[in-house]
Amino acid sequence: MTDSVPAAARKPYSDAHHGRARHDDYAWLRAHNWQQVMREPETLDADIRAYLEAENAYTEAQLAPTKALQDTLFAEIKGRIKEDDSSVPSPDGPFAYYSRWEQGAEYPLYCRRPRDGGDEAIILDGPKLAEGTSYFRIGDAAHSHDHRLLAYSVDVAGSEYFTVRVKNLKTGALLTDEIPDTSGGVVWSADDTTLFYTVLDANHRPCKVMRHRLGTDVAEDVCVYEEKDAGFFVGVGQTQSGRLILIDSHDHQTSEIRFIPSDTPESAPVLIAERTDGHEYDVEEWEGQLIIRTNRDGAEDFKLVQAPLETPGLDRWTDLVPHRPGTLLLAHYALKGHLARLERHAGLPRAIIRDMASGEEHAIAFDEEAYSLGLSAGYEYDTTQIRFTYSSMTTPSEQYDYDMATRGRTLLKRQEVPSGHEPADYVTRRLMATAPDGEQVPVSLLYHKDTPLDGSAPCLLYGYGAYGITIPAGFSVARLSLVDRGFVHAIAHIRGGKDKGYQWYRQGKLKQKTNTFTDFIAAGEHLIAEGFTAKGRIVAQGGSAGGMLMGAVANMRPDLFAGIVAEVPFVDVLATMLDDTLPLTPPEWNEWGNPIADVDAYDWIAAYSPYDNVEAKDYPAIFALGGLADPRVTYWEPAKWVAKLRALKTDDNLLLLKTNMEAGHGGKSGRFEGLHEVAEVFAFCLLVTGKA
């Protein structure tokens, strides 16, 4: 370990686009062989490795005084997790499938038992498969329709290249089939002889849907569909009915879907509606009809239409659930007698059940001020049961089976907190902060009932604000460790997400991206004005695209924050969007803009890109975390950002970079290993707010 401050070498580099010069002294930290490094981390250039390891050693040394605190935090968080936990069994024909963990295990066992009770069978042993690996993740585990086989996928590097294997569930033997370089998901044909999967190219882009017949050489697999546009992702799935295999091409604002009847897997894919810029749709099948969620015809918050399976073109689409501005239709599930949909209205989710025979609808209702709700249709189609999961920031997760015909709900499982949890000890609130343009930004709060609200409390303010992703106000066992130490925990539901409908997303992307940042700042200022915290007492936290938010607000309002936690932060926005070889760059242009082709996009990205706007001034304490094998936010983004901050900032506040040399975007694998990183981040939060 060392207390000496690392200093990355400065190697001048410049390029020009649209007559604008860009200078980058730390461009050398981007490995020339980055594709190889994702698969083989040991091939990383020695100079780059030396810098990353020096930063890791410095971080370890700086946080060493908090080691006892980290151990305490880890023990607390782990103590709130039921170690021998199991998921609620999900029925499918003669069996019920579930996963469970043994005491102390990092990875789950996948199991099944007879539907009406009987002996358990372990069908996939996660701990055994993980033996000898430094990273391990199961991507999918899909049983065949006849319950004889299990197809599963595994990533052992953190690079999200998954290898698919097939297991005979009667004998336990692996079939000879082995499919490398997939995105992880697999779909069975109706006769269980064929697998569909998506293959990743050398630039880590899902570009082809392949068909594999069991027992044949993978080299003979047939390309069912190839996506020619590097800006589109492609994936494969299936309808709830199981009758259709779906091939979905999409970017962040446009969809194109094809289907193959599952009982004729060698059929050519049938196009439903060709791509039109800005038209998003997804598909379910119900009794020979397609039920389609679409934003066509100005339905910005989406509507449901139906179309005949035989002739699914746009001219046959008829409204089933009309567009209701301000009510965002999130997802729908078609079962034999009912249609379930998940919506968000006034910033909160709700579930709506429709009787397909009568057209009558009803809602599944909840009372709390802020909460999280999820729907799951399970494996079966001919059923009146649907499952929902409910939690709030004070209420541990509860899973219910809901009978859509009788409207009865059955509690299946309430999340256990072994070390104890009393919801009445905590308060959850929903506030509205006023953004500079007058928009009202929702903020969800959690704090202990004894926390003084006189401005003295530190605050962890979390934000994301991208891709239309909404951060739910759900339960977290981890955050209680901060809240119990006097923190107010806040989630800013800023623009860029869809918390208040699709327009909330639209107003936080492309040239309006800065609304995301000013919304977050407004949330912090409102918390100060209302006495929940004080200026310089806030720790801001965000990851990935939320890490971009962290870099932006650090540049814009460093005085507001005691600290910044930026996890796998997308901070080198301009350089990344100018590099069309990177995995996510072409698909991301609709989110951020294409600075290669569009001078205006270049200028608006350059104006906020956190790395490009680092200045010689005081910054709050910063803790940046990256992953060497990360294909989403490449390791060099946080590395370059920290290197530039070290060279320019004028304060003595902590600046830490930790690169996980054996993991990717999600950090360490394993149920408990990842908690060490959480404990480390929380120790940083407590340290920089004087609570350590």
Side-chain angles (χ1 to χ4, degrees):
M1 293 193 295
T2 177
D3 286 313
S4 61
V5 180
R10 299 179 67 170
K11 301 179 182 181
Y13 167 85
S14 63
D15 61 21
H17 297 266
H18 312 292
R20 289 139 172 82
R22 185 175 63 91
H23 305 284
D24 188 352
D25 290 346
Y26 304 103
W28 66 273
L29 288 169
R30 175 193 185 278
H32 67 91
N33 63 332
W34 60 265
Q35 294 102 324
Q36 185 181 12
V37 171
M38 281 185 191
R39 297 172 180 271
E40 304 169 67
E42 66 275 9
T43 63
L44 182 67
D45 177 87
D47 288 344
I48 299 173
R49 181 177 293 277
Y51 170 66
L52 297 179
E53 290 180 343
E55 288 282 5
N56 282 352
Y58 178 72
T59 294
E60 187 173 353
Q62 293 301 304
L63 292 180
T66 70
K67 185 64 172 64
L69 174 60
Q70 290 180 45
D71 291 344
T72 299
L73 290 164
F74 172 81
E76 281 180 10
I77 300 169
K78 185 178 180 183
R80 299 188 192 106
I81 297 172
K82 190 172 187 293
E83 293 201 32
D84 55 348
D85 202 4
S86 64
S87 66
V88 177
S90 185
D92 186 20
F95 294 102
Y97 290 82
Y98 58 101
S99 58
R100 66 174 179 85
W101 287 261
E102 295 187 326
Q103 192 80 16
E106 294 286 351
Y107 304 101
L109 300 166
Y110 289 76
C111 309
R112 73 181 181 191
R113 64 180 185 227
R115 182 182 189 130
D116 297 322
D119 293 338
E120 172 185 273
I122 296 172
I123 59 176
L124 194 65
D125 190 328
K128 186 174 181 180
L129 287 172
E131 288 177 1
T133 66
S134 57
Y135 180 94
F136 179 78
R137 178 183 166 196
I138 296 172
D140 198 3
H143 59 269
S144 58
H145 298 91
D146 62 10
H147 307 277
R148 293 185 306 109
L149 303 170
L150 181 76
Y152 67 93
S153 60
V154 167
D155 169 22
V156 293
S159 59
E160 299 179 42
Y161 283 102
F162 290 86
T163 297
V164 174
R165 298 300 309 267
V166 181
K167 180 179 180 180
N168 184 313
L169 293 180
K170 184 176 181 179
T171 66
L174 288 176
L175 278 60
T176 57
D177 309 75
E178 184 172 353
I179 309 172
D181 298 340
T182 81
S183 59
V186 288
V187 179
W188 288 96
S189 65
D191 65 0
D192 299 325
T193 65
T194 302
L195 286 173
F196 291 84
Y197 63 93
T198 306
V199 70
L200 300 171
D201 65 13
N203 287 353
H204 206 280
R205 293 178 188 145
C207 58
K208 295 178 181 178
V209 173
M210 306 294 291
R211 186 179 72 231
H212 173 75
R213 189 167 180 82
L214 294 183
T216 65
D217 193 315
V218 171
E220 300 172 6
D221 287 1
V222 175
C223 179
V224 174
Y225 175 76
E226 181 175 5
E227 179 52 61
K228 300 292 188 180
D229 188 335
F232 273 66
F233 303 93
V234 65
V236 62
Q238 62 183 328
T239 57
Q240 181 67 28
S241 68
R243 296 184 185 118
L244 302 181
I245 292 162
L246 301 175
I247 298 169
D248 177 16
S249 296
H250 65 277
D251 60 14
H252 292 296
Q253 65 181 29
T254 303
S255 309
E256 185 176 77
I257 300 177
R258 294 165 170 81
F259 69 82
I260 296 172
S262 186
D263 57 0
T264 56
E266 296 185 1
S267 301
V270 176
L271 176 65
I272 295 173
E274 66 181 26
R275 66 190 68 174
T276 303
D277 188 42
H279 180 206
E280 295 180 68
Y281 69 98
D282 51 60
V283 176
E284 273 279 35
E285 186 272 337
W286 177 77
E287 302 298 286
Q289 294 281 313
L290 295 180
I291 309 294
I292 303 167
R293 188 184 73 102
T294 173
N295 64 351
R296 185 170 175 252
D297 298 329
E300 183 173 55
D301 286 320
F302 291 84
K303 63 180 179 178
L304 291 182
V305 302
Q306 60 185 31
L309 183 60
E310 295 79 6
T311 52
L314 290 172
D315 59 331
R316 304 299 300 276
W317 291 18
T318 59
D319 282 7
L320 180 65
V321 176
H323 179 234
R324 296 144 300 151
T327 298
L328 180 63
L329 207 165
L330 298 166
H332 67 299
Y333 305 90
L335 296 119
K336 187 173 179 65
H338 296 85
L339 180 68
R341 66 181 189 267
L342 188 64
E343 303 178 341
R344 185 174 295 109
H345 180 75
L348 290 174
R350 64 186 185 191
I352 307 293
I353 307 299
R354 181 187 185 97
D355 185 296
M356 293 299 279
S358 67
E360 181 183 357
E361 294 189 349
H362 69 275
I364 307 175
F366 306 93
D367 298 325
E368 288 192 83
E369 205 173 315
Y371 59 85
S372 171
L373 177 67
L375 277 182
S376 172
Y379 294 113
E380 298 186 318
Y381 171 72
D382 188 1
T383 178
T384 62
Q385 300 287 327
I386 195 163
R387 188 164 291 172
F388 70 84
T389 302
Y390 173 86
S391 72
S392 76
M393 295 179 81
T394 60
T395 307
S397 174
E398 298 173 342
Q399 289 186 58
Y400 293 83
D401 265 352
Y402 184 79
D403 191 301
M404 296 178 287
T406 67
R407 306 190 185 185
R409 62 180 74 180
T410 304
L411 177 63
L412 302 172
K413 180 181 180 182
R414 179 175 286 118
Q415 180 182 354
E416 293 183 45
V417 181
S419 60
H421 173 68
E422 179 49 65
D425 288 343
Y426 302 91
V427 180
T428 184
R429 295 278 306 279
R430 184 86 152 183
L431 307 180
M432 289 291 178
T434 303
D437 62 358
E439 285 283 3
Q440 296 296 294
V441 181
V443 184
S444 298
L445 294 186
L446 174 71
Y447 54 91
H448 195 278
K449 66 179 183 180
D450 296 332
T451 298
L453 303 180
D454 56 5
S456 63
C459 174
L460 181 69
L461 179 59
Y462 180 87
Y464 187 74
Y467 307 117
I469 294 171
T470 297
I471 305 301
F475 186 72
S476 163
V477 294
R479 67 170 67 110
L480 296 176
S481 285
L482 286 182
V483 172
D484 287 348
R485 287 172 171 80
F487 266 74
V488 172
H489 190 286
I491 301 170
H493 302 281
I494 51 185
R495 277 176 280 189
K498 293 178 183 170
D499 305 70
K500 293 178 69 175
Y502 196 90
Q503 55 83 27
W504 203 243
Y505 169 43
R506 180 168 40 79
Q507 291 177 18
K509 64 186 290 196
L510 297 172
K511 63 183 178 182
Q512 299 186 83
K513 185 61 203 169
T514 53
N515 284 333
T516 301
F517 316 142
T518 54
D519 283 0
F520 188 84
I521 291 167
E525 291 176 329
H526 186 69
L527 291 170
I528 294 166
E530 293 296 310
F532 289 101
T533 189
K535 187 177 179 181
R537 297 287 286 155
I538 301 173
V539 179
Q541 182 185 27
S544 196
M548 176 216 291
L549 167 68
M550 296 300 101
V553 299
N555 286 333
M556 294 168 70
R557 285 295 306 277
D559 60 304
L560 202 59
F561 306 104
I564 301 280
V565 176
E567 296 166 306
V568 290
F570 177 36
V571 284
D572 195 13
V573 186
L574 185 57
T576 295
M577 289 297 103
L578 286 167
D579 187 348
D580 60 7
T581 69
L582 293 175
L584 295 186
T585 292
E588 302 279 273
W589 284 330
N590 282 327
E591 183 78 14
W592 316 111
N594 180 352
I596 299 173
D598 183 350
V599 63
D600 291 336
Y602 186 100
D603 288 343
W604 76 56
I605 294 172
Y608 72 71
S609 177
Y611 177 71
D612 295 279
N613 288 279
V614 170
E615 298 175 316
K617 62 184 180 186
D618 286 1
Y619 281 87
I622 293 174
F623 188 9
L625 299 97
L628 184 61
D630 191 344
R632 299 170 186 258
V633 177
T634 49
Y635 73 85
W636 59 83
E637 295 210 26
K640 289 173 57 178
W641 182 50
V642 167
K644 190 172 183 180
L645 281 164
R646 284 212 190 284
L648 291 180
K649 77 188 188 84
T650 54
D651 60 85
D652 294 323
N653 294 324
L654 271 181
L655 175 59
L656 306 176
L657 170 67
K658 180 177 181 179
T659 304
N660 195 318
M661 307 299 281
E662 297 179 330
H665 198 64
K668 289 183 179 180
S669 64
R671 188 165 54 135
F672 301 120
E673 275 298 306
L675 297 182
H676 288 290
E677 292 182 350
V678 175
E680 194 172 43
V681 165
F682 283 5
F684 170 83
C685 295
L686 291 161
L687 180 66
V688 300
T689 56
K691 303 285 281 188

